[in-house]
Amino acid sequence: MKWTRLGVTGAAALALAVTAAGCSATPAGPGGSGSDSLTVNMGFSGNTIPRNFNPFSLKASQGTFGFQYEPLFAFNTLQGGKFVPWLATKYAWSDGGKKITIDLDKRANWSDGTKLTAKDVVFALEYVTKQDLPVEWKFEYEKAKATDDHTVEITFDTPGYARLRSIGSIRPVPEKVWKGKNGKTFTNPEPVASGPYTLKRYAAQQLTFEARDDYWKQKVPVKTLKAPVVASSSEIGKLLSGEVEWSGGAVPDVKKSYVDKDPKNHHAWYPTYGGTYMFFNHKKAPFKDVHVRKGISLAVNRSELADVGNPGMFEPLNLTGLDAKTQGKWIDAKYQDAAQPKPELAAAGAEFAKAGYKKKDGKLVGKDGKQLSFKILEVTEFADAIQRDKVLAQQLKQAGIKVEVEPMASAQLDTARQEAKFDVLVGGAVFYNTPYNFYKDMLHSENGGIWTNYGHYKSAKADGILKEMERAGDDATIKKLSAKLEKLMIDEVPAAPLITNGASTQYNSKNWTGWPDEKNPYAIPAPWAGPTDMVQTILSLRPVKAG
């Protein structure tokens, strides 16, 4: 089963969004929920849970973030990048974007009862920089200082607007615990953090968290959180029995297999946090030809792709690459309806003709008489993605193109992508608080083979627009510049947007209510979502019956 995980920031968000974690084989025994507890499937990889709660480690266990370590602030992707205050209540730019002043919430404290101060924030920032730790929120800055217990100032040598998302994701740690520790090796087995939960009990197959009585932000409604290892094969059974009440697995045909079994209490909501794209190798013919890329894109049946595996949970993606529903505020008016749900084979044929191809005996052949053929590489373990790619191959067959899906090991595919040794890849990209990082990941020349510029696309025009965007500090300017990149996406098709990506989430409202949903999208609901999303969800729950 393919899990999709979402970090809140930058590269990690992207990496997690396109990475499938393995599903473990042995479920933990205890489960079920009483009036003050809830069992969540957080999607642990493997059969055991490492006791690693180091917030600077790439191997940190789920539950390290959000439930324990918290960020300064975040942005709600589902609401077009709406500011979400957390440890910080507000921020302000000055000096033309070369200085940001951050006000901390004066109530914030650590789980040992001491106050969280501006010095802790500066310590974490400098700690990460000095030890070159692999956190996704690391960024370049000139100087950081605490001007008082609750105010942090960070200065830059150039406007730092584009770093805002990373700044918000700073996760402070108490200096008294971390000073002198090696951030690359310390596993932090007994975390002291600012979040609503402390680690009550560690077991190799289940973490148990206990709500803090002195949590600084509010009273914590769910007193005990149980997070067992859950095998993908047993996930749906545990959801149906109510043993697991909150999960984030990609349950096949979730409406039929889960929601319809108890429509009153069983819910599945897969809100869009990113999209799936077809990436062409721009270093290789015939994909260098824009008319070939356009023709292939026009031949795709996106409605059919959206219904592969989980009917009704996904939708065709706007051709700008942005999702019209959640990213609509950034999309230029003339592209608001730029969708192509069904194949347009006549238009595709016209584009192919411009590239020298014509239909002959059902095959699309070039001037050399050879059929247009290519491979789509896919990760062997991603069964659902392989199935989607095979459907895509069948669709392109209607246009006369021969497409072969070639599964391979993840590491092998990564190398092929980085070295541009492939024809076409299908992968995911995530949205942020503004379109800047989304487009930079996908279109900037220096990102060839990394982030989501899988196709090694190079464009001086795109680079120039992105450079302007990096220095833009207001929404109007960002939107104006985004419109230029949206036009480029449609005119040049550097990658073909396919369908929305959804944060797969299943939850049970029998015992707990207050879950985010389409009418009240206050957070991405998946238990693997970003720290503020997952903790907002758990803090917003209310027992159906008191006591």
Side-chain angles (χ1 to χ4, degrees), residues 158-172:
T158 58
Y161 299 122
R163 302 177 179 92
L164 182 61
R165 181 179 40 79
S166 297
I167 294 167
S169 295
I170 295 173
R171 292 159 200 159

Side-chain angles (χ1 to χ4, degrees), residues 204-222:
Q205 292 192 320
Q206 178 169 297
L207 300 180
T208 304
F209 298 99
E210 184 174 48
R212 289 176 53 189
D213 290 334
D214 64 341
Y215 180 53
W216 60 274
K217 198 173 184 67
Q218 67 169 76
K219 184 178 180 181
V220 184
V222 179

Side-chain angles (χ1 to χ4, degrees), residues 9-11 14 161-166 429-444 447 451-452 466 469 478 485:
T9 61
L14 169 63
Y161 299 122
R163 302 177 179 92
L164 182 61
R165 181 179 40 79
S166 297
V430 296
F431 303 133
Y432 302 89
N433 54 311
T434 77
Y436 168 74
N437 285 95
F438 168 77
Y439 282 130
K440 185 180 181 185
D441 287 347
M442 188 176 290
L443 302 178
H444 201 285
N447 289 337
W451 306 140
T452 52
L466 286 164
M469 224 170 167
I478 292 170
L485 295 173

Side-chain angles (χ1 to χ4, degrees), residues 138-371:
K138 186 164 56 181
F139 57 90
E140 294 182 359
Y141 63 97
E142 189 175 71
K143 187 177 180 181
K145 65 178 182 180
T147 57
D148 60 39
D149 282 351
H150 307 292
T151 309
V152 178
E153 281 186 1
I154 305 173
T155 56
F156 308 91
D157 56 2
T158 58
Y161 299 122
R163 302 177 179 92
L164 182 61
R165 181 179 40 79
S166 297
I167 294 167
S169 295
I170 295 173
R171 292 159 200 159
V173 295
E175 180 175 358
K176 56 181 177 287
V177 174
W178 286 85
K179 189 175 183 179
K181 297 287 195 307
N182 185 333
K184 294 178 181 174
T185 58
F186 180 48
T187 58
N188 193 28
E190 301 289 347
V192 175
S194 63
Y197 289 93
T198 57
L199 182 67
K200 180 180 182 181
R201 184 169 59 252
Y202 166 82
Q205 292 192 320
Q206 178 169 297
L207 300 180
T208 304
F209 298 99
E210 184 174 48
R212 289 176 53 189
D213 290 334
D214 64 341
Y215 180 53
W216 60 274
K217 198 173 184 67
Q218 67 169 76
K219 184 178 180 181
V220 184
V222 179
K223 300 302 180 189
T224 303
L225 266 179
K226 300 173 184 177
V229 174
V230 177
S232 60
S233 58
S234 63
E235 181 184 20
I236 185 62
K238 290 182 180 297
L239 280 165
L240 290 171
S241 69
E243 183 176 345
V244 169
E245 295 177 281
W246 185 20
S247 187
V251 176
D253 203 353
V254 67
K255 284 189 174 179
K256 183 177 180 181
S257 62
Y258 179 62
V259 177
D260 289 351
K261 302 295 184 184
D262 182 357
K264 180 181 177 183
N265 296 308
H266 292 180
H267 309 274
W269 187 40
Y270 290 19
T272 301
Y273 69 89
T276 297
Y277 306 80
M278 187 167 14
F279 295 96
F280 308 104
N281 186 346
H282 288 263
K283 288 189 170 184
K284 187 174 183 179
F287 310 107
K288 293 179 180 179
D289 192 323
V290 64
H291 300 297
V292 170
R293 301 195 298 271
K294 279 188 174 181
I296 293 172
S297 179
L298 284 163
V300 174
N301 186 334
R302 291 171 173 79
S303 295
E304 184 181 40
L305 284 181
D307 282 344
V308 174
N310 241 315
M313 304 308 285
F314 308 110
E315 299 174 357
L317 191 58
N318 187 286
L319 296 180
T320 60
L322 301 172
D323 169 52
K325 186 178 293 183
T326 62
Q327 304 293 304
K329 67 175 270 189
W330 300 111
I331 299 177
D332 190 81
K334 60 176 162 299
Y335 302 130
Q336 286 287 339
D337 298 321
Q340 187 233 306
K342 299 292 183 181
E344 297 178 9
L345 294 180
E351 290 295 335
F352 287 130
K354 293 176 186 175
Y357 288 89
K358 61 182 179 181
K359 208 75 172 291
K360 184 178 181 181
D361 299 328
K363 298 179 180 178
L364 189 67
V365 296
K367 294 176 182 176
D368 58 1
K370 294 182 178 178
Q371 184 180 17

